Amino acid sequence: MKYPESVNILLLGSGGREHAFAWKIAQSKRLARLFIAPGNAGTVACGTNVEINPTNFASVKQFVLSNNINMVVVGPEDPLVKGIADFFKEDHQISNIPVIGPSSAGARLEGSKEFAKQFMERHDIPTAAYRSFTKKSIDEAYAFLETLKAPYVLKADGLAAGKGVLIIDSLDQAKKELASMFDGRFGRASDTVVIEEFLSGIECSVFVATDGKNFKVLPVAKDYKRVGVGDTGPNTGGMGAVSPVPFADERFMEQVVETIVKPTVAGLQADKIDYKGFIFIGLMNVSGKPYVIEYNVRMGDPETEVVLPRIESDLIELFQSMAYGKLDQYELKISPLTATTVVCVSGGYPGDYPKGFEITGLRNVTGSTVFHAGTALKGNKVYTSGGRVLAVTSLGDSITDAVAKSYASIEKIDYEGKYFRQDIGQDLL
Ligand code: AMP
Ligand code: GLY
């Protein structure tokens, strides 16, 4: 492969996912300089943080031009849905700089649930039966709900900060919630609502890198969404993750590839959607058969914090293979070890929480890699600055082994209100 040997990269985002990306990029022999916009207190160990908002495309362009950036890697979905890849492609000054992330047309897989469902329907990809409605068709929506069995699944069509899915036990309540969605409960995001069949099973996250025609399946992971032990309490951005996932065995993954990944990549191509980026497929294992719950057009957080530590091959070469349409020639090497990450959050999260507390003990951690999420650096001290504060990742021979290391490391770290789930991976033993 004849790609540039030495590249300057601008990575967009500021969470644990971006710290994990920065950490892995920094290990590449192909890296010249890495900038992270805006980054966090952890990413400064991997490159240079720059104060740029990733959705301010004009500032991103200016930075790219004045710092001789050769590649832009997009962490979160927001800049993708807003069209950063198209912005680069259409501007002759920067059109030759690859953006790792899909065009806005591709990003609709995450940006619109209705679009994603229509895409799956068109390409015969297994997913829950559904119909979509607007306020005008509310009577039909009520009638459709009456044909379904409880629990009822209502999804705001647009991006709603991960909160736009409601799962409701009673029909009456479902009708009330539906009306409130049409009345702006999630702003414009719920002008259209997808109502779908409830799927019962266990979830996992499959990550695919694609250049638009070839693909590589990255390590599979499971995340822990709810705040409380035993998967109870409100949903969060993710309290921990494990990779690999024991139930996602070879037979299951073969079905995932044949019935979901191949038709998804072929579908993007058939629909003439430019997609050089990651596809995150949220799956439900329903009695051994995989169904798509959702697509995301980026890597998962905190899944990235267990996926990347298991990738042994060079990450910049992976990006280059994606950007230049040569993914078929990339040799993906995956570690057989198990990775776990346990997320330490601010007390009160996902509700209101205080922040700005000093984090101590980070330097005492030896057996794990601590990825920063909501942290900020002031002088040489690190402070909490968000709900999810740190993702403590460990590798081991088993879930039990890896997660014990994560918990031992967390004992060494302290800040006011530190909270974490004590049962990450336990359901998989
Ligand atoms: P989403 O934002 O689409 O990932 O939905 C959030 C969560 O709701 C998922 O992670 C699932 O736990 C759950 N969920 C979504 N759709 C369904 C469904 N059709 N059946 C059962 N659970 C679902
Ligand atoms: N861990 C789920 C997500 O990144 O959306």
Side-chain angles (χ1 to χ4, degrees):
M1 283 185 283
K2 286 279 168 286
Y3 305 137
E5 289 289 331
S6 171
V7 290
N8 293 327
I9 293 187
L10 175 63
L11 168 65
L12 303 181
S14 63
R17 167 183 51 213
E18 286 74 24
H19 187 191
F21 266 127
W23 168 85
K24 182 73 180 155
I25 290 169
Q27 294 167 30
S28 170
K29 55 184 187 300
R30 287 175 182 260
L31 181 67
R33 296 198 69 188
L34 172 63
F35 298 92
I36 309 99
N40 60 37
T43 56
V44 294
C46 315
T48 307
N49 286 357
V50 289
E51 274 294 320
I52 294 177
N53 176 346
T55 56
N56 185 342
F57 299 165
S59 306
V60 172
K61 171 185 169 181
Q62 199 181 21
F63 186 84
V64 160
L65 289 175
S66 46
N67 290 277
N68 192 23
I69 296 296
N70 312 109
M71 177 179 278
V72 178
V73 178
V74 186
E77 64 278 14
D78 209 24
L80 295 168
V81 172
K82 294 196 165 113
I84 192 164
D86 316 72
F87 176 85
F88 269 67
K89 220 172 169 184
E90 287 156 15
D91 185 325
H92 72 275
Q93 284 183 290
I94 49 175
S95 58
N96 62 333
I97 296 166
V99 173
I100 302 302
S103 60
S104 60
R108 288 187 76 201
L109 282 181
E110 176 163 0
S112 165
K113 303 253 184 223
E114 183 183 41
F115 174 84
K117 295 298 281 192
Q118 289 167 347
F119 177 89
M120 289 184 264
E121 197 169 37
R122 188 156 66 241
H123 302 294
D124 215 8
I125 295 165
T127 187
Y130 81 103
R131 279 184 61 190
S132 54
F133 301 93
T134 60
K135 194 169 184 171
K136 276 197 196 126
S137 51
I138 193 163
D139 290 329
E140 286 167 58
Y142 287 157
F144 182 61
L145 278 172
E146 282 163 15
T147 69
L148 298 175
K149 285 197 284 274
Y152 303 91
V153 183
L154 308 180
K155 299 186 171 186
D157 173 58
L159 289 183
K163 298 190 174 77
V165 175
L166 303 179
I167 297 180
I168 302 151
D169 286 325
S170 92
L171 181 61
D172 277 352
Q173 194 60 27
K175 289 181 177 175
K176 281 193 196 116
E177 297 286 2
L178 179 67
S180 85
M181 288 174 91
F182 289 141
D183 287 336
R185 165 150 182 195
F186 299 105
R188 301 298 307 271
S190 57
D191 281 358
T192 297
V193 174
V194 168
I195 301 179
E196 67 179 37
E197 169 199 13
F198 180 82
L199 297 175
S200 180
I202 181 161
E203 283 176 72
C204 65
S205 307
V206 168
F207 298 96
V208 177
T210 183
D211 59 12
K213 46 181 202 293
N214 308 290
F215 66 85
K216 295 283 173 191
V217 179
L218 307 180
V220 57
K222 180 176 191 296
D223 80 337
Y224 292 80
K225 288 202 172 84
R226 289 175 183 264
V227 76
V229 165
D231 234 22
T232 54
N235 257 321
T236 70
M239 298 297 293
V242 171
S243 175
V245 182
F247 70 77
D249 56 14
E250 216 170 305
R251 220 176 120 238
F252 182 77
M253 288 308 292
E254 216 172 88
Q255 286 191 72
V256 171
V257 169
E258 291 305 318
T259 67
I260 295 169
V261 179
K262 282 185 182 169
T264 297
V265 175
L268 289 169
Q269 232 182 331
D271 294 349
K272 302 204 168 16
I273 292 174
D274 185 25
Y275 206 114
K276 294 174 168 49
F278 296 100
I279 311 172
F280 163 171
I281 308 172
L283 287 181
M284 187 77 83
N285 176 345
V286 183
S287 315
K289 193 171 178 294
Y291 286 79
V292 178
I293 291 282
E294 63 165 348
Y295 287 111
N296 295 303
V297 298
R298 51 172 172 85
M299 291 293 292
D301 196 352
E303 289 98 324
T304 306
E305 292 94 301
V306 292
V307 170
L308 293 185
R310 294 191 56 228
I311 295 183
E312 291 174 341
S313 29
D314 189 287
L315 193 63
I316 294 182
E317 277 179 26
L318 174 67
F319 293 149
Q320 290 177 321
S321 309
M322 290 158 77
Y324 300 115
K326 302 277 193 229
L327 204 49
D328 52 333
Q329 293 166 33
Y330 181 76
E331 194 192 342
L332 178 69
K333 287 199 205 102
I334 295 175
S335 160
L337 292 176
T338 291
T340 59
T341 198
V342 178
V343 177
C344 296
V345 304
S346 295
Y349 173 82
D352 291 336
Y353 54 84
K355 54 193 182 185
F357 297 118
E358 187 184 347
I359 306 172
T360 57
L362 288 166
R363 287 200 196 89
N364 301 334
V365 173
T366 48
S368 309
T369 305
V370 180
F371 294 117
H372 291 224
T375 68
L377 200 59
K378 280 189 215 131
N380 57 1
K381 291 185 174 172
V382 179
Y383 295 86
T384 64
S385 70
R388 288 191 292 172
V389 177
L390 304 165
V392 181
T393 296
S394 313
L395 288 166
D397 292 325
S398 63
I399 292 175
T400 311
D401 181 28
V403 86
K405 289 181 193 166
S406 290
Y407 287 127
S409 297
I410 287 174
E411 287 308 308
K412 297 184 177 155
I413 301 168
D414 204 21
Y415 58 86
E416 199 171 315
K418 178 180 84 171
Y419 170 78
F420 56 95
R421 259 180 74 167
Q422 311 261 3
D423 64 338
I424 299 305
Q426 296 307 297
D427 57 326
L428 299 172
L429 298 181

